[in-house]
Amino acid sequence: MEIIAPVVSIIALIVSLFTAWFTMFRRGSVRSTHPSFVAIKYDFVDKPVVQAKVFLRVLLYSTGKRGLVIENLFLRVSEGARTEEFSFWGYGEKDLVRGSGIFVPETGVVTNHHFNPLHTDTLFRFSHGTYKLELIAKLVARNKLLSLWNIALEVPSGVFDKSIARDTAVYFNWSPEEQRYVESVEKRSGFVNAFSDPAES
């Protein structure tokens, strides 16, 4: 009995220290679910060149009790030899706000995220091919960028090959049963803006 009491006290102290570390001192990291859907289209904005857009919906959550702040969130989009940084970031359900930091609690935050290319003077064309998307976060007070996920999407031929429709988008919806993204092309109007191929200009 004389030995059991000190052992129980030591175990209780260890458990208390672990609990304190886990709840108060452990910072953890940020994680993301894979997007339930991804859509690609073009933005007809008041700029010299129409802007490519990727928007998606994910749950961001923190593995630490205290939560973390994402300073910047962006997409790295690659197709063949092309790689573009989509770091013009906005988020929200209906009214978009410019992404300039978002607090991510342990319980998570789910919303839509919209991304446009950083370089707005050239058009990023969504031609037929396989596109690799990587979601990357920059956390406050951490220098290293954090890769949250990578996915590959096949853009079907004929959607944006010859012209860019204002209200046409390619949607990729995740099928849990098939374990893949199922694409669909949606068009709301017949308004089309034609653009010459960049190689011809």
Side-chain angles (χ1 to χ4, degrees), residues 46-146:
D46 187 19
K47 291 183 180 180
V49 179
V50 173
Q51 297 301 300
K53 168 178 275 193
V54 178
F55 65 95
L56 49 91
R57 187 174 182 85
V58 294
L59 169 72
L60 300 169
Y61 64 95
S62 172
T63 60
K65 290 287 184 181
R66 297 166 58 187
L68 290 163
V69 175
I70 292 179
E71 186 175 312
N72 296 110
L73 195 67
F74 69 94
L75 278 178
R76 185 178 290 146
V77 181
S78 303
E79 189 272 326
R82 298 188 298 161
T83 299
E84 184 68 36
E85 176 187 333
F86 281 55
S87 57
F88 195 90
W89 164 44
Y91 64 89
E93 297 296 325
K94 293 182 179 180
D95 298 324
L96 291 182
V97 296
R98 176 70 187 272
S100 57
I102 182 172
F103 176 72
V104 181
E106 182 189 25
T107 53
V109 55
V110 59
T111 190
N112 300 322
H113 297 270
H114 296 241
F115 300 94
N116 296 96
L118 175 65
H119 304 101
T120 60
D121 54 343
T122 57
L123 173 63
F124 186 89
R125 294 294 296 261
F126 287 119
S127 56
H128 170 61
T130 301
Y131 289 77
K132 296 180 180 179
L133 276 60
E134 181 180 13
L135 184 64
I136 302 171
K138 166 64 173 65
L139 304 183
V140 169
R142 298 189 186 183
N143 295 324
K144 187 176 180 180
L145 296 176
L146 178 64

